[in-house]
Amino acid sequence: MIVLGIETATRQASIALGTETGTLGSLTLAARPTRHEVVLPALEQLTRWTDTGLDQVGGIVVGTGPGLFTSLRVGVEVAKSLAQVLKVPIIGIPTLDALAFAVRMSHDPIVAMIDARRGEVFLGRYRPAPGGVQREGEFAVCSPDAAAAEIQALGAGSLLTGDGATLYRQRFEELGGQVAFAPAAQAHPDARALIDLALPRFEREEHDRLFDVVPIYLRKSDAEIAWDRRTGAE
């Protein structure tokens, strides 16, 4: 089964095609994909490189965030539109889960962080588990200081991953030997990790309903905040 993965939650997006036997091809977009006109041409290029027709795709997996508002929404909309057009099942997977899964070989707790802008990070906590990772608690959006306090409260060494950890590395280094950092190459979520996570679910036919695949925002968009300020809404 060929699966298409789409991940657009951060400033560096990626798309990939893969099967149970490995990756057919992947493409990274260094610029934030805030329009469909960026993602779809990249997908067309990937299908040409891999000599794979869209009619060969048997399922679609998309990163649902949390992440940057507009680019995240674009990725989810493209994935849902393709699933409808191709009449194939779809699965949504949180972007932080994919970040943590990419460093699943860690023996320490994993803290995945995405730059949320406005001096904040989106954060998820994980434990290594057989074959992957286990999420602990709910996703959060918080300041780097609050994230550092949460990491310190874990009371053990932690592996930090994601562009949020990279951006505020100096702050987290103040925790000393309590933290280690994943390689910079793994600072952004990868569509290949989404495919690896989704394939067992496709095999078990544990698909999502199309209307259940929605972005995880955690907070209001800049436009909503500006509107609230103008109208005096809380």
Side-chain angles (χ1 to χ4, degrees), residues 80 208-214:
K80 293 172 71 170
D208 290 326
R209 294 176 296 183
L210 193 68
F211 55 80
D212 285 337
V213 179
V214 294

Side-chain angles (χ1 to χ4, degrees), residues 99-131:
L99 265 176
F101 183 79
V103 292
R104 60 192 177 278
M105 300 309 292
S106 171
H107 297 294
D108 297 321
I110 299 165
V111 180
M113 285 180 277
I114 291 173
D115 175 24
R117 304 174 73 178
R118 305 182 202 155
E120 294 180 319
V121 296
F122 297 120
L123 179 148
R125 295 183 291 108
Y126 301 82
R127 292 276 180 182

Side-chain angles (χ1 to χ4, degrees), residues 3 59 83:
V3 174

Side-chain angles (χ1 to χ4, degrees), residues 13-179:
S14 70
I15 58 175
L17 290 166
T19 70
E20 298 86 346
T21 59
T23 302
L24 299 177
S26 64
L27 192 153
T28 298
L29 306 172
R32 242 190 328 136
T34 56
R35 296 179 63 85
H36 298 74
E37 289 84 350
V38 176
V39 178
L40 292 176
L43 175 57
E44 183 180 357
Q45 182 67 63
L46 181 61
T47 56
R48 285 202 303 267
W49 285 348
T50 59
D51 195 25
T52 304
L54 284 178
D55 59 341
Q56 295 175 265
V57 172
I60 295 174
V61 56
V62 61
T64 55
L68 302 179
F69 192 92
T70 304
S71 54
L72 174 59
R73 185 185 69 234
V74 165
V76 172
E77 288 179 354
V78 167
K80 293 172 71 170
S81 296
L82 285 172
Q84 286 183 298
V85 171
L86 300 176
K87 295 181 173 59
V88 297
I90 187 171
I91 292 175
I93 290 179
T95 299
L96 286 168
D97 289 3
L99 265 176
F101 183 79
V103 292
R104 60 192 177 278
M105 300 309 292
S106 171
H107 297 294
D108 297 321
I110 299 165
V111 180
M113 285 180 277
I114 291 173
D115 175 24
R117 304 174 73 178
R118 305 182 202 155
E120 294 180 319
V121 296
F122 297 120
L123 179 148
R125 295 183 291 108
Y126 301 82
R127 292 276 180 182
V133 293
Q134 179 67 48
R135 191 194 315 151
E136 296 190 330
E138 301 294 327
F139 297 131
V141 55
C142 60
S143 68
D145 286 341
E150 186 160 344
I151 294 166
Q152 193 166 29
L154 293 175
S158 297
L159 178 66
L160 310 188
T161 188
D163 65 351
T166 301
L167 180 62
Y168 298 105
R169 179 170 182 141
Q170 186 173 354
R171 173 63 184 90
F172 299 128
E173 284 178 337
E174 295 174 9
L175 299 174
Q178 195 170 352
V179 299

